Coordinates of all heavy atoms in Angstrom, one line a residue:
F1 N 11.0 -4.3 -5.4 CA 11.9 -3.8 -6.3 C 11.6 -4.3 -7.7 O 11.4 -5.4 -7.9 CB 13.4 -4.1 -5.9 CG 13.9 -3.5 -4.7 CD1 13.6 -3.9 -3.5 CD2 14.5 -2.3 -4.8 CE1 14.1 -3.3 -2.3 CE2 15.0 -1.6 -3.7 CZ 14.8 -2.2 -2.5
C2 N 11.8 -3.3 -8.7 CA 11.7 -3.8 -10.0 C 12.9 -4.7 -10.5 O 14.0 -4.3 -10.1 CB 11.6 -2.5 -11.0 SG 11.5 -3.0 -12.7
E3 N 12.7 -5.7 -11.1 CA 13.8 -6.7 -11.4 C 14.3 -6.6 -12.8 O 15.1 -7.3 -13.3 CB 13.4 -8.1 -11.1 CG 13.2 -8.4 -9.5 CD 13.0 -9.8 -9.1 OE1 13.8 -10.6 -9.7 OE2 12.2 -10.1 -8.2
V57 N 20.1 -8.0 -5.2 CA 19.4 -7.2 -6.2 C 20.3 -6.1 -6.7 O 20.4 -5.9 -8.0 CB 18.1 -6.6 -5.5 CG1 17.5 -5.5 -6.5 CG2 17.1 -7.6 -5.2
Y101 N -2.6 -9.4 10.5 CA -1.8 -8.7 9.6 C -1.9 -7.2 9.9 O -3.0 -6.7 10.3 CB -2.3 -8.9 8.1 CG -1.7 -7.8 7.2 CD1 -0.5 -8.1 6.5 CD2 -2.3 -6.6 6.9 CE1 0.0 -7.1 5.6 CE2 -1.8 -5.7 6.1 CZ -0.6 -5.9 5.4 OH 0.0 -5.0 4.6
A104 N 0.3 -1.4 5.5 CA -0.4 -0.8 4.4 C -1.4 -1.8 3.8 O -1.1 -2.9 3.5 CB 0.6 -0.3 3.3
Q106 N -2.7 -2.3 0.5 CA -2.5 -2.1 -1.0 C -2.1 -3.4 -1.6 O -1.5 -4.2 -0.9 CB -1.5 -0.9 -1.2 CG -0.1 -1.2 -0.5 CD 0.8 -0.1 -0.8 OE1 1.7 -0.3 -1.6 NE2 0.6 1.1 -0.2
P107 N -2.4 -3.6 -2.9 CA -2.1 -4.8 -3.5 C -0.7 -5.3 -3.4 O -0.5 -6.6 -3.1 CB -2.3 -4.5 -5.0 CG -3.4 -3.3 -5.0 CD -2.9 -2.5 -3.8
M108 N 0.4 -4.6 -3.4 CA 1.7 -5.0 -3.4 C 2.1 -5.6 -2.0 O 3.1 -6.3 -1.9 CB 2.8 -3.9 -3.7 CG 2.6 -3.4 -5.1 SD 2.8 -4.8 -6.3 CE 4.6 -5.1 -6.0
K109 N 1.3 -5.3 -0.9 CA 1.6 -5.9 0.3 C 0.9 -7.3 0.5 O 1.1 -8.0 1.5 CB 1.2 -5.0 1.5 CG 2.0 -3.7 1.5 CD 3.4 -4.2 1.8 CE 4.3 -2.9 2.0 NZ 5.8 -3.3 2.3
G110 N 0.1 -7.7 -0.4 CA -0.3 -9.1 -0.6 C -1.4 -9.7 0.5 O -1.5 -10.9 0.5
V111 N -2.0 -8.9 1.2 CA -2.9 -9.3 2.2 C -4.0 -10.1 1.6 O -4.6 -11.1 2.2 CB -3.4 -8.2 3.2 CG1 -4.3 -7.3 2.4 CG2 -4.1 -8.8 4.4
H112 N -4.4 -9.8 0.4 CA -5.4 -10.7 -0.4 C -5.0 -12.1 -0.5 O -5.9 -13.0 -0.6 CB -5.7 -10.0 -1.8 CG -4.5 -9.9 -2.6 ND1 -3.5 -8.9 -2.5 CD2 -4.1 -10.7 -3.7 CE1 -2.6 -9.2 -3.4 NE2 -2.9 -10.2 -4.2
L113 N -3.6 -12.3 -0.6 CA -3.1 -13.8 -0.8 C -3.5 -14.5 0.6 O -4.0 -15.7 0.5 CB -1.7 -13.8 -1.0 CG -1.1 -13.1 -2.2 CD1 0.4 -13.1 -2.2 CD2 -1.7 -13.7 -3.5
A114 N -3.5 -13.9 1.7 CA -3.8 -14.5 2.9 C -5.2 -14.9 2.9 O -5.6 -16.0 3.3 CB -3.4 -13.7 4.2
E116 N -7.3 -15.2 0.4 CA -7.6 -16.2 -0.7 C -7.2 -17.6 -0.2 O -7.8 -18.7 -0.6 CB -7.0 -15.8 -2.0 CG -7.6 -14.6 -2.7 CD -6.9 -14.1 -3.8 OE1 -5.8 -14.7 -4.1 OE2 -7.3 -13.2 -4.5
D139 N -6.6 2.0 -5.4 CA -7.2 1.0 -6.1 C -8.5 0.5 -5.6 O -8.6 -0.5 -4.9 CB -6.2 -0.1 -6.1 CG -6.4 -1.2 -7.2 OD1 -7.6 -1.3 -7.6 OD2 -5.4 -1.9 -7.5
W142 N -9.5 -3.2 -6.1 CA -8.9 -4.0 -5.1 C -9.4 -4.0 -3.8 O -9.6 -5.0 -3.1 CB -7.3 -3.7 -5.1 CG -6.6 -4.7 -4.2 CD1 -6.0 -5.9 -4.5 CD2 -6.2 -4.5 -2.8 NE1 -5.4 -6.5 -3.4 CE2 -5.5 -5.6 -2.4 CE3 -6.4 -3.4 -2.0 CZ2 -5.0 -5.7 -1.0 CZ3 -5.9 -3.5 -0.6 CH2 -5.2 -4.7 -0.2
R145 N -12.6 -6.0 -3.7 CA -12.3 -7.4 -3.8 C -11.9 -7.8 -2.3 O -12.3 -8.9 -1.9 CB -11.0 -7.6 -4.7 CG -10.5 -9.0 -4.7 CD -9.3 -9.0 -5.6 NE -8.6 -10.2 -5.5 CZ -7.3 -10.3 -6.0 NH1 -6.7 -9.3 -6.6 NH2 -6.7 -11.5 -5.9
L146 N -11.0 -7.1 -1.6 CA -10.6 -7.4 -0.3 C -11.8 -7.4 0.7 O -12.0 -8.3 1.5 CB -9.6 -6.4 0.1 CG -8.7 -7.0 1.4 CD1 -7.7 -8.0 0.9 CD2 -8.1 -5.9 2.2
I175 N 1.1 -12.6 9.8 CA 1.3 -13.0 8.4 C 1.5 -11.7 7.5 O 0.7 -10.8 7.6 CB 0.2 -13.9 7.9 CG1 0.3 -14.3 6.5 CG2 -1.2 -13.1 8.1 CD1 -0.6 -15.4 6.0
F176 N 2.6 -11.7 6.9 CA 3.0 -10.6 6.0 C 3.3 -11.1 4.6 O 4.5 -11.3 4.3 CB 4.2 -9.8 6.6 CG 4.0 -9.3 8.1 CD1 4.8 -9.8 9.1 CD2 2.9 -8.4 8.3 CE1 4.6 -9.4 10.4 CE2 2.7 -8.1 9.7 CZ 3.5 -8.5 10.7
P177 N 2.3 -11.3 3.7 CA 2.6 -11.9 2.5 C 2.9 -11.1 1.3 O 2.3 -11.0 0.3 CB 1.2 -12.6 2.2 CG 0.2 -11.7 2.9 CD 0.9 -11.1 4.0
S178 N 3.9 -10.2 1.5 CA 4.2 -9.1 0.6 C 4.6 -9.7 -0.8 O 5.3 -10.7 -0.8 CB 5.3 -8.3 1.1 OG 5.7 -7.3 0.3
I179 N 4.1 -9.0 -1.8 CA 4.5 -9.3 -3.2 C 5.8 -8.6 -3.5 O 6.6 -9.0 -4.3 CB 3.4 -8.9 -4.1 CG1 2.1 -9.8 -3.9 CG2 3.8 -9.0 -5.6 CD1 0.9 -9.3 -4.8
C180 N 6.2 -7.5 -2.8 CA 7.4 -6.9 -3.0 C 8.6 -7.7 -2.6 O 8.4 -8.5 -1.7 CB 7.4 -5.5 -2.2 SG 6.0 -4.5 -2.5
L181 N 9.7 -7.3 -3.1 CA 10.9 -7.9 -2.5 C 11.4 -7.0 -1.4 O 11.9 -5.9 -1.6 CB 12.0 -8.0 -3.6 CG 13.3 -8.8 -3.2 CD1 14.0 -9.4 -4.5 CD2 14.3 -8.0 -2.4
E182 N 11.1 -7.4 -0.2 CA 11.3 -6.5 1.0 C 12.8 -6.5 1.3 O 13.5 -7.5 1.4 CB 10.5 -7.0 2.2 CG 9.1 -7.0 1.9 CD 8.4 -5.6 2.0 OE1 9.1 -4.6 2.3 OE2 7.2 -5.6 1.7
S183 N 13.4 -5.3 1.5 CA 14.8 -5.2 1.8 C 15.1 -5.3 3.3 O 16.3 -5.6 3.8 CB 15.3 -3.8 1.4 OG 14.6 -2.8 2.2
S185 N 11.9 -5.2 6.4 CA 10.6 -5.4 7.0 C 10.6 -5.2 8.5 O 10.9 -6.1 9.3 CB 10.1 -6.9 6.7 OG 8.8 -7.0 7.2
I199 N 4.7 -15.5 9.3 CA 4.7 -16.2 8.0 C 5.0 -15.2 6.9 O 4.3 -14.2 6.7 CB 3.3 -16.9 7.8 CG1 2.9 -17.8 8.9 CG2 3.2 -17.5 6.5 CD1 1.5 -18.3 8.8
V200 N 6.1 -15.5 6.1 CA 6.5 -14.5 5.1 C 6.8 -15.3 3.8 O 7.0 -16.5 3.8 CB 7.7 -13.7 5.6 CG1 7.4 -12.9 6.8 CG2 8.9 -14.7 5.9
P201 N 6.9 -14.5 2.7 CA 7.3 -15.1 1.4 C 8.8 -15.7 1.5 O 9.5 -15.2 2.3 CB 7.2 -14.0 0.4 CG 6.3 -12.9 1.1 CD 6.6 -13.0 2.5
D202 N 9.1 -16.5 0.6 CA 10.4 -17.1 0.6 C 11.4 -16.4 -0.2 O 12.4 -16.9 -0.7 CB 10.3 -18.6 0.0 CG 9.8 -18.6 -1.4 OD1 9.5 -17.6 -2.0 OD2 9.7 -19.8 -2.0
R203 N 11.3 -15.1 -0.4 CA 12.2 -14.2 -1.0 C 12.4 -13.0 -0.2 O 11.4 -12.5 0.5 CB 11.9 -14.0 -2.5 CG 10.7 -13.1 -2.6 CD 10.4 -12.9 -4.1 NE 9.1 -12.0 -4.2 CZ 8.4 -12.0 -5.3 NH1 8.8 -12.7 -6.3 NH2 7.2 -11.3 -5.4
G204 N 13.5 -12.3 -0.4 CA 13.6 -11.0 0.2 C 14.2 -11.2 1.7 O 14.4 -12.3 2.1
A205 N 14.4 -10.0 2.4 CA 15.0 -10.1 3.7 C 14.1 -10.8 4.8 O 14.8 -11.5 5.5 CB 15.2 -8.7 4.2
P206 N 12.8 -10.8 4.8 CA 12.1 -11.5 5.9 C 12.5 -12.9 5.9 O 12.8 -13.5 7.0 CB 10.6 -11.3 5.5 CG 10.7 -9.9 4.8 CD 11.9 -9.9 4.0
F217 N 6.5 -19.2 2.6 CA 5.6 -19.8 1.6 C 6.2 -19.4 0.3 O 6.9 -18.3 0.2 CB 4.2 -19.6 1.8 CG 3.9 -18.2 1.6 CD1 3.4 -17.8 0.4 CD2 4.0 -17.2 2.6 CE1 3.1 -16.4 0.1 CE2 3.7 -15.9 2.4 CZ 3.2 -15.4 1.1
A218 N 5.9 -20.1 -0.8 CA 6.3 -19.7 -2.1 C 5.6 -18.3 -2.5 O 4.4 -18.1 -2.5 CB 5.8 -20.7 -3.2
A219 N 6.6 -17.4 -2.7 CA 6.1 -16.0 -2.9 C 5.0 -15.8 -4.0 O 5.1 -16.5 -5.0 CB 7.4 -15.1 -3.4
E220 N 4.1 -15.0 -3.6 CA 2.9 -14.8 -4.5 C 2.0 -15.9 -4.8 O 1.1 -15.8 -5.7 CB 3.4 -14.1 -5.9 CG 4.1 -12.9 -5.8 CD 4.6 -12.3 -7.1 OE1 3.7 -12.2 -8.0 OE2 5.7 -11.8 -7.3
S221 N 2.2 -17.0 -4.0 CA 1.5 -18.2 -4.3 C 0.3 -18.5 -3.3 O 0.7 -18.7 -2.1 CB 2.4 -19.5 -4.3 OG 1.6 -20.6 -4.4
V222 N -0.9 -18.4 -3.7 CA -2.0 -18.7 -2.8 C -2.0 -20.1 -2.4 O -2.2 -20.5 -1.2 CB -3.4 -18.4 -3.4 CG1 -4.5 -18.9 -2.6 CG2 -3.5 -16.9 -3.7
L225 N 0.7 -20.7 0.3 CA 0.3 -20.2 1.6 C -0.7 -21.2 2.2 O -0.7 -21.4 3.4 CB -0.2 -18.8 1.4 CG -0.6 -18.1 2.7 CD1 0.4 -18.2 3.8 CD2 -0.9 -16.6 2.4

Side-chain angles (χ1 to χ4, degrees):
F1 287 88
C2 177
E3 298 190 37
V57 173
Y101 167 90
Q106 54 180 254
M108 293 304 292
K109 290 301 181 180
V111 66
H112 60 282
L113 300 178
E116 289 172 357
D139 194 334
W142 182 82
R145 173 186 171 195
L146 197 77
I175 182 167
F176 304 118
S178 179
I179 293 174
C180 305
L181 192 154
E182 301 285 352
S183 62
S185 185
I199 301 171
V200 295
D202 61 357
R203 69 179 176 201
F217 68 95
E220 300 186 45
S221 171
V222 171
L225 187 48

